[in-house]
Amino acid sequence: MDPNTEAALHALLTGLPVASLGTLHDGAPYVSMAPVIPAPDGSGFLIHVSRLAQHTRDLLAEIRVSLMLMVPPEEGQDPLALPRVTVQGEAEEIPRDSDRHETAAVAYLARFPQAEMTLGLGDFSFFLIRPTAGRLVLGFGRALSLDAAQIASSLSSLR
């Protein structure tokens, strides 16, 4: 991957605070919104979601998941030209009483300090989404498929 493409991928994977979250609900696609951060160790993405939300129940039933991170459109911009990345992965709930939970909470609060309240609620859980594949689109006619190693490489440049 050329350096400009790598830089754009890194910016998309690490710089956007909100993702479209795709889960499977009774075998059908279900898309919602979730705040997201890259995992501090570069292993994937962290989301903090409530068991009251349908997407959380879906994650508990089926680990296959998808995230889409997209640059917000500028006025007059062609929507097909928006830089975006879709990441397919597998979700793993992080146990509340683990060191990984504490590490996730510290990183999550650094990006979303307003989430301090939800961290204390018993129905919220962290999930790690480990990428398995992806698709990077940098504008009309500029797209490439990604494997897990390429995504991991871009995320590991965080450390």
Side-chain angles (χ1 to χ4, degrees):
M1 186 178 316
D2 71 75
N4 289 336
T5 301
E6 175 59 37
L9 174 61
H10 181 76
L12 284 165
L13 293 176
T14 64
L16 299 171
V18 175
S20 297
L21 172 66
T23 58
L24 291 173
H25 178 71
D26 295 331
Y30 182 86
V31 179
S32 57
M33 181 280 292
V36 63
I37 65 167
D41 65 359
S43 62
F45 303 90
L46 293 170
I47 58 173
H48 191 237
V49 291
S50 169
R51 289 193 187 300
L52 300 175
Q54 184 62 56
H55 54 238
T56 306
R57 294 190 302 272
D58 293 343
L59 290 170
L60 293 167
E62 169 59 61
I63 66 171
R64 292 179 296 166
V65 64
S66 183
L67 292 173
M68 185 169 107
L69 298 145
M70 181 173 61
V71 171
E74 295 177 10
E75 189 169 334
Q77 184 176 12
D78 178 356
L80 294 176
L82 291 174
R84 58 202 178 269
V85 63
T86 299
V87 175
Q88 294 171 294
E90 295 180 344
E92 170 196 357
E93 186 173 14
I94 298 174
R96 184 177 278 277
D97 60 352
S98 69
D99 289 342
R100 291 172 57 213
H101 186 276
E102 182 61 29
T103 300
V106 169
Y108 197 81
L109 285 173
R111 181 172 255 185
F112 303 114
Q114 66 276 23
E116 188 167 357
M117 180 192 75
T118 59
L119 285 175
L121 299 176
D123 68 303
F124 274 78
S125 298
F126 281 107
F127 282 81
L128 173 66
I129 299 172
R130 293 184 192 278
T132 57
R135 184 82 174 154
L136 174 65
V137 179
L138 294 177
F140 190 75
R142 294 181 54 213
L144 67 130
S145 294
L146 304 167
D147 61 28
Q150 289 170 305
I151 297 167
S153 175
S154 190
L155 286 172
S156 70
S157 62
L158 280 173
R159 296 182 276 150

